[in-house]
Amino acid sequence: MTAPLRRERPGGEGSTPATDQAVRLRRLNRWQAETLREDLADLYVESSRAQAGQEYRGREAFLRRLTGDIRRAGFALLIAEDSAFAGCAYGFPVPREGTWWRGFDGTLPQSVEQLTASGHVFAITEIVVHPHTDDQDLARRLQQRLLADHHASLGATLVDQADAPACDALLSWGWQDIGSIRRQSDPKAVRSSAPVLLRALVLPLGPRTAARPDGLAHENRTQRPD
């Protein structure tokens, strides 16, 4: 996940559902995502922490990532909007053969490997939230809706280790850091860049039991057909 995430204010007493009604979430198909790619790139630039003069490079990198992901099997995108675009999130089911975990340092946890092979892992590759939106829990809402729509048992994402705010926000939402992955930051860039160290995070969505307190359960009876 390369887009910046803000640290969200926790819900609870004193929070109001009014903003949940103001910002609507809507699914887009591939054709709609292609049509709106320039608008989504504008949203990314407006939401990023890019230094002055770096906006164009960041925008082009975002468009390359979006274009590549749109072509993946099972691609899904959610848009958040009120009077304008307030945010978006997208991703795709992790391939059963485990290519998502390429470059993982060490041995992948067995439960994660099993859930991947069963087709129950959904990767969230981008979450973008406009800094001026009034919905302070929007990034988390987008994440939850995207995973729920795909009946995932495990969410997965990769975060640049240098992006401490994004890592901290995800961990505060219940994501688990399972290790590191070294990968080319932008393999489709004109100029090759040095590999970056990414944190591999997962969000267990299964029931937590005494036997599996981490929620990383795997059941053969839930295995999805090819």
Side-chain angles (χ1 to χ4, degrees), residues 156-184:
T157 194
L158 302 178
V159 184
D160 190 330
Q161 183 165 275
D163 193 349
C167 288
D168 290 346
L170 289 164
L171 292 173
S172 73
W173 299 345
W175 288 75
Q176 300 174 13
D177 187 339
I178 61 170
S180 61
I181 288 179
R182 193 172 297 277
R183 190 173 295 177
Q184 200 78 11

Side-chain angles (χ1 to χ4, degrees), residues 95-118:
R96 293 172 184 263
E97 62 269 24
T99 51
W100 168 263
W101 307 109
R102 174 177 49 83
F104 189 83
D105 184 15
T107 303
L108 191 67
Q110 184 179 20
S111 53
V112 174
E113 187 175 17
Q114 290 175 333
L115 285 170
T116 300
S118 71

